[in-house]
Amino acid sequence: MAEKKNPQISIAASAIAMRGVRMFLSAGKAAAERRASPKKTRPTKPVVSGNKLHSSVTEILLRKTKFDKNELEALFTMYKRLVTSAQNTAPTSVIGQPAAKIDGIDQNTFRDVMHNTFDLVTEDVVLDRVWLTWERGANGGEGALKFEAWARGLSVLLRGSDDEKMLHCFAVYDLNGDGFITRDEMFTLLKNSLLKQPGDEDPDEGVRDLVELVLRKMDIDKDGKLSYEDYKQAVEQEPLLLEAFGQCLPSRRHAVAFLKTLTNK
């Protein structure tokens, strides 16, 4: 299988080909198809009762994010609006009982923002991993996003350094969190990205070929899997490989457009 490939294919050509594969993703996936059925939650107090950020929270986020005070206040206003909207549309859990209050940004709201605001029209497995990698305290990926986690996550997506963005993407692609991207994980990430042609006897064969091509270009230590060091070195040589296994960052155009909304508040 590997012998059929041109050994002279450059890393850049490979990266471009892989990004081209993802262009076949169906941009017509409706938000309604992406939204999971609302999960039952225990009644909680609304998380956004005040109109302004507490000064202590502002001070923490000024140190831990790349937003200024005005931008943080604009983000908090957006956060309140998203949470309130989710609270108002939450279904009644028991007949005659009020709807359970969502304590933060839930996964459905997060999906909508990533899809509609940042145009992350990506595979469900990738978008689910983006959600799971955002910090949510001791629960380690469970529950809704509180404002501090929301602001820290957006800081990486919108203004993160090269290292921060590489760490974010690697964490998304490392499906089981063991510190490596394996052949099986690559296959899972890429299999929905290929355009299946009518008459293909084994549509998965193209994915397997692509996985082997990726390993030849990115597996620096040749151990059959990608460590973070492998991934980092490959991306530093060819930046197009940053999102080799699926889009998990907004485009520069969408990031700039979003940041402008914060300064226009």
Side-chain angles (χ1 to χ4, degrees), residues 129 132-133 170-182 185:
R129 284 295 302 164
L132 289 171
T133 57
F170 186 86
V172 169
Y173 302 147
D174 179 12
L175 301 183
N176 65 1
D178 68 350
F180 297 95
I181 306 173
T182 64
E185 288 172 329

Side-chain angles (χ1 to χ4, degrees), residues 52-162:
K52 290 188 177 182
L53 272 173
H54 193 281
S55 59
S56 62
V57 174
T58 301
E59 290 303 316
I60 291 172
L61 291 178
L62 285 173
R63 295 194 303 270
K64 293 188 175 182
T65 72
K66 297 179 181 179
F67 298 119
D68 61 29
K69 186 174 183 294
N70 291 334
E71 289 172 332
L72 287 171
E73 290 175 351
L75 283 174
F76 186 63
T77 299
M78 174 189 294
Y79 172 84
K80 289 193 302 177
R81 184 170 64 248
L82 291 170
V83 174
T84 300
S85 176
Q87 290 175 348
N88 291 338
T89 58
T92 302
S93 57
V94 180
I95 296 177
Q97 296 297 320
K101 296 297 183 182
I102 301 168
D103 188 16
I105 292 177
D106 67 338
Q107 186 172 4
N108 288 337
T109 302
F110 180 86
R111 280 173 169 266
D112 286 347
V113 172
M114 293 297 112
H115 180 71
N116 297 322
T117 302
F118 297 125
D119 198 34
L120 261 66
V121 184
T122 188
E123 301 89 338
D124 285 342
V125 64
V126 173
L127 197 55
D128 287 345
R129 284 295 302 164
V130 173
W131 161 258
L132 289 171
T133 57
W134 283 43
E135 297 177 25
R136 285 193 286 288
N139 290 330
E142 299 177 4
L145 283 171
K146 306 301 189 293
F147 177 68
E148 289 185 49
W150 173 245
R152 290 196 303 270
L154 287 178
S155 179
V156 172
L157 259 62
L158 299 170
R159 288 184 174 145
S161 65
D162 290 345

Side-chain angles (χ1 to χ4, degrees), residues 3 29 41 72-73 86-87 96 125 197 210 219 247 251 261:
E3 293 80 289
K29 287 183 179 180
T41 57
L72 287 171
E73 290 175 351
Q87 290 175 348
V125 64
Q197 298 291 344
L210 187 56
D219 183 14
Q247 183 191 7
S251 69
T261 68

